Every structure is written in structure tokens, then in C-alpha cells.
Amino acid sequence: MDFWGMIYDLCIGFGVTLKLFALTLVFSIPLGFILAFMSMSKIKPISLITKLFIWVIRGTPLLLQCLIVTFVPSMLFGIPNKDFKEFLGLETMADLQFMFVLFAFVVNYACYFSVIIEGGIKNISVGQHEAGKVLGMTKWQIFRHVVLMQVVRKITAPMSNEIITLVKDTALARALSVIEIIAVAFEKVNKYAVLSPLLYSCLFYLAFSGLLTLVFYYVEKKLSYYSV
Amino acid sequence: MNMLEVKNITKSFGQQEVLKGVSFSLKQGEVLVIIGSSGSGKTTLLRCLNFLETPNGGSIYVNGEEVFSADSGKKLSDAQLRDRRLHFGLVFQSFNLFPQHDVLKNVTLAPTLYRTTELKKKKASKSEIKAAKAEIIEQGETLVDMVGLSEKLHEHPCRLSGGQQQRVAIARALALNPDILCFDEPTSALDPELTGEVLRVIRSLKDQGRTMVVVTHEMEFARGVADHVIYMADGIIEEEGTPEEVFGNPKSEKTKLFLAAGFNK
Ligand SMILES: Nc1ncnc2c1ncn2[C@@H]1O[C@H](COP(=O)(O)OP(=O)(O)O)[C@@H](O)[C@H]1O
Ligand SMILES: [Mg+2]
């Protein structure tokens, strides 16, 4: 087995891992805020349905959710996945599989994030909202200019935990034949009957989560220019 | 004409009637001091004036304009509510400064947002908005200077003493130039040695002709600064009059007891 050839292939696989990781974050954080607001809504049905949804998603395995998503177009809308692929303008079935995985990841992580975000928002004292109100600020202005940065600061630590978990959860994508780094590694293991590709892929994860840990450390330091 | 006229305000929380019909009026430049034991409804009254609570009954007029009436039946829109509450300012017992913003930004944030929204509605140019912002910053600096904190302009609230924080809160409330400024026990959360600096600022506001409603337990200060004193007990005005009348010669037994307890402390 060519060592550098293997490392190269692992890099390609890790590229897919990173793509899934980054896209999940980009979509699930805003969706997490939306779910948090819906769950805190004064309109009872909205709040209840959102809470129920979050409970179901957090209470079931992500792996199952990935699998279930692939049946949604055909079972619910009667669209075979082949046509659904065309509908989304995707080139290959592999792209479609990636989309399914991404969708499941975004929804799953948005639910976890929303719980953290809701906790952060509820943690801001009413006094802060009232101070904004008596100064004639709108609800949106109070959220944007008074509450948001305080929430961000409160949630960085728990969020960074989830985000590091997300790095490792991307390995589940393999179940839907997304060729991320572990899939690549297993292919080598089977082909050459050696374990080392798996160990090398561990190093990729370790390096990346180490980098993230540093980033979060830096962000937390940046945000701690004031105490509450 | 009275600057502020409060007519028969009532407010209940569930079964508990906290305000049982409170009426008073205030002329421009006058200072009304409200005293009363804890739980008598003073905070609730100020919160009603600032639209943080909606009274169950009664009405409020500012400069002859009705800003609230429980009978009118129609609910105010958020925008109407904001415009009307800007007649009032409120300084909280617990300061409630915005911890992530420095002193100047605490003072200028709300007026900047208010002005830029207005200007954008009128489709003002970028340079007009920029000029307005610069003007607000200048006013903010003047206000911070007035409360004696020009050296702390770019400090964050966590780096200030309680007394300094409360002075920033006063500057922040003044930045929107309210007709009537309300104080809810502005020195109750402070160490005794820090109350003086806050009370001096309030005093100086009286000298500048500010119309104010002050809830306080500082009897000496109340006596010195008030044009009119109200003693509240159990949600009603038990006694009112000039400081000389209420402090010097109280008529009600309850007032006498309250004052005696207060001065012995
Ligand atoms: N949001 C509220 N919900 C229920 N009861 C309240 C609320 N706010 C105040 N109260 C009650 O109203 C009464 C008067 O409170 P308050 O106006 O704070 O009095 P004061 O400021 O004179 O001490 C108290 O008994 C208090 O428990
Ligand atoms: Mg009170």
C-alpha cells in the first residue's frame, strides 16, 4: 500500500467530512434560534408542537433519522428518489445521499442547539428587557443590541461541546454511503488487510477537534472583556 | 397646566389589589417624592407610568394629552406604546445597565436606534444619518460629563462602582430627554457611602428644572428635594402635602408610625 496515496485519499475523505460539518453548522445555528423562539412562543400550539418535535428528534438516534429521511420523498410525496434528484438539480445519487444526510444533521443539531439557545435567552434577566423597553427600543432592537451578545457569551461553552461532538458524528454519514474519511479508511482496511488507515483517520479527527478547541478558547477569551 | 396628571389608577395582580385608586398631578419642574413601606405599591405605580404594567383602571395625561386610559378599550400598538412611554424615563433600583456596552454606548444606544429608524423612514441620506449619530454621541458625552464620569466614558459597567453605575443609568435615561423622569429607590442597592453621589446628581437635575417622580427611603434627601410628598400605604395615598406638612406635621397615625420607624433606623 502506497503511504502517501493513502494519506491523499484520507484527505479527500476528510474534505467530505468537513463539508458536512461546516454546512451543518451554517444551517443548524440559525434554525436553532428559530426553534428556540418557536418553543418560547406565547402561542401555545406553536410552542407545544415545537417542544414535541425537539423531544422526538433528541430522543431518537441520528443514524435512524438519516435513514428515515431517505424515505420521505417517496413515502410522503410519492416522488421516487431518482426524480427527486432531478427535482433538486443534483448530478448523482451520491449527491442526493449527501443532501439527505445534511438535512438530517441540520435538523438534529438545530434541536440540540435550540435547547441551549433557549436556556441562554431565558437566563437574561427581565431587567435587561425592561431597561430596553423604557428606552423606547423595539422588541427586535432589544434582542439584537441588548440580549444577543449576552446570550452568545452564555452559550459558547455548551455550544462548543456540541460542535465537537458534531465533528465525530459526521462518521454516521457512512451509513448512507457518503464517502467520508471513515468510509475511505474502511475501504483501505478491507483492500489491504491493515488497520493503520483507521488509526490515521483518528489523527485527522484529533487534529481538527484540537484546532476547534483552540478557536473556542480564543472566542471565549474575546467575549470575556466584561463580566455580568 | 399640569405636566403630569394621574387619575384614579388601579392595578391588581390576580386577586391582590396593589393600587386602589391613586391620583396626583405634577407641574413642570416639580419633584414629587413618594415614600411608603415595602409592598405598598410604589414600584407598581412607577411601572404603570412607564407602561411596564397596564393599569386596570384610570387614566394618565401628559401636557393635557391622554397617554393612557383604561376605558378607551383599544389596545395600543407597539409603536404607539413606544412613543407614549418616551414621555417617561425610569431609573431602576438595580441599574440594569447593558453589561456588554461601555458607558458611552449605554447612554447613546437607544437614541441612536430611535433616530436612525426615524431618519431611514424619511429616506434620509447616509451623511444625514452619520451627522445625527455624531450629534447623539456628543450629547452622550455631555450627559456622562454631567453625572461626573467623563473619565469612564469607555469603561464597561462591571468596572464601575454601584454609585457610578447608577449615575450612568441616570445619564442613559436622560439621553431620550423624557418629560418626566422616574426613580425607583435609586440608592437602595448601594452601600451607604455611595448614596451621596447619586443623590447629588438628582438634586442637580432638580436645579436644572427636571420634572421628576422619586421613590426613596432617604428621608433627609426627600425633605430637601421634594416639592410635594406622597406617603403610600396599601395601594392608596395615605397622606400627601408639602415636605413640611408630611414630615413636620403628619396627620395620619400610619404616617407618624412610618416616619418614626424610618428616622430611628
Ligand atoms: N408582577 C407581579 N405579580 C404579582 N404580584 C406583584 C407583582 N409585582 C408586584 N406585586 C405585589 O404587589 C405588591 C406591591 O409591590 P411593589 O409595587 O413592588 O411595592 P413597593 O415598591 O412599594 O415595595 C407586593 O405585595 C408585591 O408582592
Ligand atoms: Mg419597590
Side-chain angles (χ1 to χ4, degrees), chain B residues 43 93 184-185:
Chain B
T43 297
Q93 184 173 343
D184 189 11
E185 302 192 29

Side-chain angles (χ1 to χ4, degrees), chain A residues 112-201:
Chain A
Y112 279 94
F113 289 154
S114 80
V115 174
I116 297 176
I117 293 166
E118 184 176 337
I121 292 176
K122 282 188 173 157
N123 212 291
I124 308 296
S125 76
V126 278
Q128 291 289 306
H129 290 272
E130 290 185 345
K133 273 195 209 167
V134 296
L135 292 166
M137 289 162 73
T138 64
K139 278 192 187 125
W140 166 248
Q141 289 170 339
I142 293 173
F143 177 73
R144 169 70 189 75
H145 297 279
V146 176
V147 173
L148 182 60
M149 283 319 285
Q150 296 184 49
V151 172
V152 167
R153 183 173 150 167
K154 280 196 171 120
I155 67 177
T156 12
M159 286 290 269
S160 51
N161 271 332
E162 291 296 334
I163 290 171
I164 290 193
T165 305
L166 170 60
V167 178
K168 293 165 291 175
D169 269 356
T170 53
L172 290 174
R174 192 165 72 90
L176 262 65
S177 29
V178 169
I179 313 295
E180 45 67 73
I181 186 166
I182 298 291
V184 174
F186 263 110
E187 187 209 331
K188 307 267 176 216
V189 170
N190 291 335
K191 196 160 160 194
Y192 302 105
V194 286
L195 277 178
S196 58
L198 281 176
L199 299 179
Y200 285 113
S201 51

Side-chain angles (χ1 to χ4, degrees), chain B residues 13 16 18 37-44:
Chain B
F13 293 109
Q16 189 192 6
V18 176
S37 49
S38 163
S40 56
K42 307 179 298 297
T43 297
T44 305

Side-chain angles (χ1 to χ4, degrees), chain A residues 128 130 133 136 145-146, chain B residues 47 82 85 97 100-101 156:
Chain A
Q128 291 289 306
E130 290 185 345
K133 273 195 209 167
H145 297 279
V146 176
Chain B
R47 289 173 61 84
R82 273 200 308 283
R85 75 170 12 129
L97 292 181
Q100 75 272 39
H101 297 311
H156 284 86

